[in-house]
Amino acid sequence: MGLAFKEGKLYSVDAKRMLLFAFSEDGGQVTDISRIANPQLGGLSAGPGGFWSSEAAAGRIHRHNSDKDHTVQRTYANANSSPAVIHWTGTSLWASDLRTETIYQYAVQDGLIPLRQYTLEGVRPVGIHVAQDLLWLFDAATLEVRRYRVGPMLVPVDATPLAAWLPNKAQPTGFAVDGARLWVITENPVQLHRFEQKGLVWTPTPNRGF
């Protein structure tokens, strides 16, 4: 749940050591290592204004400063939530809740104001991305990238399987979208995978909204 793209760079985290890694454009090299202040980091997002992280067990989402240690600028807490995967678009924050199997869209003001929510039973996102009216997610249960149309209901559009390119029994822990490329990071083994969208086969999904 720790993979994000920001200003031309791909980032990942070592949650146990609270380290933030920046990668080269092709993902082949680590170009920088810094700290990120979240000892229980679950999800990572990056976008206009900097980094965000989540603590699912504590029901907290943090907005980080742009200093070298990425200290916490502000914390948004809800004891009844369990935010894991998060995505900051620059205008709203999206979060996937482990407890309710629901994806929420929030307006960021003095607190997080719910705008929309969509329940996806049985889906285990390890990363989400929202651009224009499309929501992308990578489902760890099926090893598929799924795309949905955002509106009053979440309408399935299409999906593409990635299992054939991932190591057997590998556990995906992060997903990011970078223009024409998709990125997936796994553990056991730890590997970073890059996919060109033009090389993927997208299969239309039956049109039923959530």
Side-chain angles (χ1 to χ4, degrees), residues 115-205:
L115 299 176
R116 291 171 171 157
Q117 64 182 65
Y118 308 107
T119 299
L120 297 174
E121 294 182 1
V123 177
R124 294 193 292 119
V126 296
I128 56 178
H129 176 82
V130 181
Q132 298 177 345
D133 63 345
L134 278 183
L135 182 146
W136 308 56
L137 67 79
F138 184 73
D139 180 17
T142 61
L143 301 181
E144 289 182 332
V145 178
R146 301 182 179 187
R147 296 193 292 197
Y148 300 83
R149 190 80 58 196
V150 173
M153 301 177 67
L154 195 63
V155 179
V157 176
D158 52 18
T160 186
L162 300 184
W165 292 278
L166 300 176
N168 188 34
K169 297 183 179 180
Q171 301 173 12
T173 58
F175 168 74
V177 178
D178 159 25
R181 296 177 295 187
L182 310 180
W183 300 84
V184 175
I185 194 167
T186 64
E187 60 182 25
N188 299 324
V190 176
Q191 293 183 350
L192 179 62
H193 301 265
R194 183 184 69 192
F195 301 90
E196 301 292 336
Q197 286 193 48
K198 62 183 179 182
L200 299 173
V201 177
W202 296 86
T203 302
T205 306

Side-chain angles (χ1 to χ4, degrees), residues 22-183:
F23 292 90
S24 58
E25 185 177 354
D26 63 358
Q29 293 183 329
V30 174
T31 60
D32 186 57
I33 302 175
S34 56
R35 302 276 297 176
I36 185 163
N38 185 343
Q40 302 295 326
L41 192 147
L44 176 74
S45 182
F51 290 93
W52 294 70
S53 68
S54 67
E55 287 185 75
R60 295 189 292 210
I61 295 175
H62 306 289
R63 188 171 197 166
H64 294 268
N65 291 307
S66 297
D67 55 8
K68 63 182 179 65
D69 290 328
H70 298 99
T71 53
V72 173
Q73 178 187 116
R74 183 159 188 168
T75 297
Y76 301 89
N78 180 350
N80 296 318
S81 69
S82 184
V85 173
I86 57 174
H87 176 68
W88 169 242
T89 68
T91 57
S92 64
L93 182 71
W94 294 75
S96 174
D97 192 289
L98 291 174
R99 189 177 303 160
T100 62
E101 297 185 322
T102 300
I103 294 176
Y104 296 89
Q105 180 190 15
Y106 296 103
V108 179
Q109 299 178 10
D110 291 337
L112 298 181
I113 311 301
L115 299 176
R116 291 171 171 157
Q117 64 182 65
Y118 308 107
T119 299
L120 297 174
E121 294 182 1
V123 177
R124 294 193 292 119
V126 296
I128 56 178
H129 176 82
V130 181
Q132 298 177 345
D133 63 345
L134 278 183
L135 182 146
W136 308 56
L137 67 79
F138 184 73
D139 180 17
T142 61
L143 301 181
E144 289 182 332
V145 178
R146 301 182 179 187
R147 296 193 292 197
Y148 300 83
R149 190 80 58 196
V150 173
M153 301 177 67
L154 195 63
V155 179
V157 176
D158 52 18
T160 186
L162 300 184
W165 292 278
L166 300 176
N168 188 34
K169 297 183 179 180
Q171 301 173 12
T173 58
F175 168 74
V177 178
D178 159 25
R181 296 177 295 187
L182 310 180
W183 300 84

